[in-house]
Amino acid sequence: MNVPPISSSPERHVVGVDFGTLSGRAVVVRVSDGEELGTAVHEYRHGVIETRLPGTGRQLPPDWALQHPADWRQVLQTAVPAALAAAGVDPATVIGIATDFTACTVLPVTADGTPLAETALADRPHAWPKLWKHHAAQEQADRINELAHRRGEKWISRYGGKISAEWQFAKALQLLEEDPGVYAATERWIEAADWIVWQLTGAESRNTCTAGYKGIFQDGEYPSEEYLAALNPEFADFARTRLAHRLSPLGSRVGCLTAESAAWTGLPEGIAVAAGNVDAHVAAPAAQAVENGRLLAIMGTSTCHVVNGATLADVPGICGVVDGGIVEGAYGYEAGQSAVGDIFAWWLSQGMPTEYVAEAEATGEDAHQLLSRKAATQPVGGHGLVALDWLNGNRSTLVDHHLSGVIVGLTLATRPEDVYRALLEATAFGTRTIVEALEQGGVPVTEFIVTGGLKKNPLLMQIYADVLRRPISLAVSAQGPALGSAIHAAVAAGAHPDVRTAAAAMGRVERAAYRPDPERADGYDVLFAEYRELHEHFGTAADKQLHRLRRIRNAALAKAAPTQNSEES
């Protein structure tokens, strides 16, 4: 390994790379003050693979969501050099790199890290990386939860009483039961957050964040082999053989940049590579949301809520609590909504009346801006609607990805902006449900901070302030996760002693950018009561109507689908 070149420049820099759902973003950051000097984005060529498998064109079943590992490598090969060029800094001044990823995005690999999707098994859907919003493992998640409660497994309470269909164990059990041949070929089952670090360092590493939140690693161990065998005898050694590895704390140095990855990125060989991280959790220091009680909502296609607390509490319906899961010295709590921005985009994809399209063209507005402007003139409750924000299932607090969206109150007078505003409000009501669950469970929320692309919508931010009855602070950076990764890179390289110190120097936040209006907040209390009634009716019944409708849909699609090749090996 070569020693990184020494630059005469007094300034040092780091690179953060954020792997999102549709693209990867790299940013070059100054270590001393967090100034973002250059950024670049690479759109995934394959995007989200939801209908047909690349190469074969094989049709995928409902609720599947896959990705292509080559798309992730191309982010390193294109976005990082482009960001470096945009920054105009001497590569020799870069002292570290860190990455973050969507989660739980997980893939089966061989012992040397080769994705099974890039082997002779590429024609098998289960060989491919499963994106976070792959929701086809709900049946396995239900069994995981039922057995854990029946056996009194102590870890189940750390996850709000339910393990999500999005997490590692449900997806792995689905793999075993639907394609045992691919499962047998899976020598390691690894989060993409750790796999991308493997590409940079040439060696496997595992981080505490994904292991704790997505991998049921609590109190120093995974679920027991006895428990796993009770799920499926062939699953007994899953954690021991496919997961087990020393865990690295967040902000730690797990290796050095290899010659190959240095050639990909244009960065110096041998610089520090930080432990992998989750896109939501890594953003906390970028928004100075590392102190206890400062809740960060990472709002994009979906929303993840993370907050630190001083004590360990069991909060029903949250995604998980992990000691040191966000920053060392605190218990990190996670909750979330499986779709937020995706819901607004879905409504726009249904089309607008021709007069709306003409108006948008005349004013130079996009569809979001047009509907936001029209919706902003309405009084609270003026549309007569209330919606459930479950168009991609419910992550918190019901943890049920087979639920679906509901809109109540439609009439022949309902306009596109009415539905649009009702959907904005529904996501705010979902967030209020999460905040109330945290506080009722013993986790104080003293500040609500937003990062992510949706913070740019003033109407949405004001609705959140009014619904939550609390000020909304905004992260200053337009790329919170990438900046957060850069902050962790600075710590891994030794430029700052710990993440808290680095966050104080490199993070930025605008306090109380939006404040609640008391009159509107009163109106939203009334609408929220209607939301809660729908929430209980559709979300907690023993035999859920939304589940029945999904089963009817799946049966109809299965009957109509062309015959598929057997996956049996």
Side-chain angles (χ1 to χ4, degrees):
M1 182 193 73
N2 295 333
V3 176
I6 299 175
S7 170
S8 60
S9 170
E11 292 290 354
R12 295 178 295 172
H13 305 94
V14 285
V15 173
V17 189
D18 167 42
F19 291 83
T21 299
L22 297 173
S23 64
R25 179 184 300 270
V27 62
V28 178
V29 177
R30 193 161 57 212
V31 165
S32 59
D33 60 2
E35 183 69 19
E36 298 167 31
L37 303 175
T39 186
V41 178
H42 174 76
E43 303 287 339
Y44 300 151
R45 183 166 74 88
H46 298 89
V48 179
I49 302 166
E50 296 176 289
T51 56
R52 295 189 179 276
L53 203 64
T56 66
R58 178 175 183 166
Q59 186 172 342
L60 297 174
D63 302 319
W64 276 60
L66 309 176
Q67 288 206 302
H68 200 310
D71 291 341
W72 304 335
R73 286 196 204 91
Q74 288 167 4
V75 172
L76 300 176
Q77 296 163 349
T78 59
V80 175
L84 199 60
V89 303
D90 181 356
T93 66
V94 177
I95 60 174
I97 183 172
T99 58
D100 66 83
F101 233 101
T102 60
C104 171
T105 297
V106 66
L107 64 157
V109 301
T110 63
D112 66 359
T114 301
L116 295 190
E118 297 179 343
T119 70
L121 295 170
D123 62 340
R124 313 268 276 270
H126 276 293
W128 288 72
K130 290 181 171 64
L131 184 61
W132 64 269
K133 62 178 181 178
H134 175 93
H135 289 157
Q138 186 64 52
E139 185 270 332
Q140 285 78 14
D142 291 341
R143 286 165 45 210
I144 287 170
N145 294 325
E146 187 279 327
L147 180 64
H149 284 289
R150 177 153 46 90
R151 287 172 52 94
E153 299 288 343
K154 65 179 183 179
W155 46 260
I156 192 66
S157 63
R158 304 280 179 89
Y159 300 92
K162 288 184 179 180
I163 298 299
S164 170
E166 294 180 356
W167 296 174
Q168 289 183 21
F169 278 71
K171 288 174 173 173
L173 186 58
Q174 183 198 14
L175 164 59
L176 167 64
E177 295 179 339
E178 294 184 5
D179 196 338
V182 170
Y183 181 83
T186 301
E187 293 176 295
R188 305 295 287 162
W189 181 249
I190 190 165
E191 287 275 352
D194 292 320
W195 180 83
I196 202 68
V197 173
W198 197 339
Q199 307 311 293
L200 293 172
T201 65
E204 180 181 358
S205 63
R206 304 267 176 155
N207 71 86
T208 54
C209 184
T210 53
Y213 290 106
K214 318 302 178 185
I216 322 183
F217 189 86
Q218 293 284 349
D219 299 324
E221 60 185 6
Y222 290 104
S224 69
E225 294 200 11
E226 292 77 13
Y227 167 81
L228 297 177
L231 284 171
N232 186 310
E234 298 301 315
F235 204 50
D237 67 350
F238 167 68
R240 175 168 53 83
T241 60
R242 293 168 172 84
L243 293 181
H245 194 280
R246 183 180 64 85
L247 299 183
S248 298
L250 303 181
S252 66
R253 180 175 183 152
V254 296
C256 301
L257 198 67
T258 65
E260 180 182 40
S261 50
W264 288 348
T265 59
L267 299 175
E269 180 184 354
I271 63 171
V273 179
N277 209 326
V278 177
D279 55 355
H281 306 67
V282 79
Q288 295 186 345
V290 294
E291 300 306 322
N292 294 342
R294 292 182 176 176
L295 185 149
L296 180 67
I298 303 87
M299 297 183 61
T301 55
S302 62
T303 292
C304 188
H305 308 78
V306 295
V307 62
N308 281 317
T311 59
L312 178 63
D314 293 335
V315 182
I318 64 166
C319 299
V321 52
V322 176
D323 188 1
I326 301 172
V327 65
E328 286 194 279
Y331 290 97
Y333 293 83
E334 177 193 339
Q337 293 161 275
S338 294
V340 178
D342 274 350
I343 296 176
F344 314 148
W346 163 80
W347 179 240
L348 294 184
S349 72
Q350 307 310 304
M352 293 194 300
T354 54
E355 63 269 24
Y356 281 54
V357 175
E359 182 179 351
E361 291 176 352
T363 59
E365 297 172 299
D366 63 28
H368 284 289
Q369 292 168 332
L370 176 72
L371 292 187
S372 292
R373 174 170 58 80
K374 289 180 175 292
T377 64
Q378 299 178 354
V380 173
H383 48 46
L385 304 174
V386 66
L388 292 175
D389 52 314
W390 302 344
L391 278 76
N392 198 27
N394 180 285
R395 184 180 298 164
S396 300
T397 55
L398 298 173
V399 199
D400 186 343
H401 294 290
H402 280 183
L403 293 173
S404 49
V406 175
I407 303 175
V408 174
L410 294 169
T411 73
L412 294 177
T414 301
R415 304 299 295 162
E417 61 269 28
D418 299 336
V419 176
Y420 187 73
R421 178 164 181 147
L423 294 174
L424 299 183
E425 293 166 345
T427 67
F429 294 148
T431 285
R432 177 167 167 175
T433 301
I434 289 167
V435 171
E436 290 184 355
L438 285 166
E439 295 198 314
Q440 290 167 7
V443 182
V445 176
T446 58
E447 184 177 11
F448 192 94
I449 307 171
V450 174
T451 191
L454 293 182
K455 71 175 184 174
K456 295 182 293 186
N457 186 320
L459 173 61
L460 182 65
M461 292 299 96
Q462 188 60 56
I463 287 173
Y464 270 62
D466 294 337
V467 168
L468 294 173
R469 283 188 174 273
R470 63 178 74 212
I472 303 296
S473 299
L474 299 181
V476 172
S477 175
Q479 45 218 7
L483 175 58
S485 281
I487 290 172
H488 284 77
V491 175
H496 292 287
D498 54 53
V499 174
R500 292 179 190 274
T501 303
M506 301 174 69
R508 298 287 185 275
V509 63
E510 179 186 358
R511 305 282 182 201
Y514 293 87
R515 295 182 179 275
D517 175 84
E519 183 178 349
R520 289 195 299 265
D522 288 344
Y524 276 127
D525 283 346
V526 175
L527 276 183
F528 182 65
E530 299 298 328
Y531 175 91
R532 289 297 305 177
E533 185 173 337
L534 288 178
H535 187 281
E536 295 304 307
H537 175 76
F538 285 105
T540 63
D543 182 21
K544 299 179 181 64
Q545 184 179 27
L546 299 179
H547 285 186
R548 297 198 303 270
L549 290 173
R550 181 175 290 263
R551 288 195 294 269
I552 291 169
R553 181 205 69 176
N554 289 352
L557 292 176
K559 185 177 181 180
T563 303
Q564 300 292 332
N565 295 327
S566 173
E567 289 183 12
E568 295 181 1
S569 58

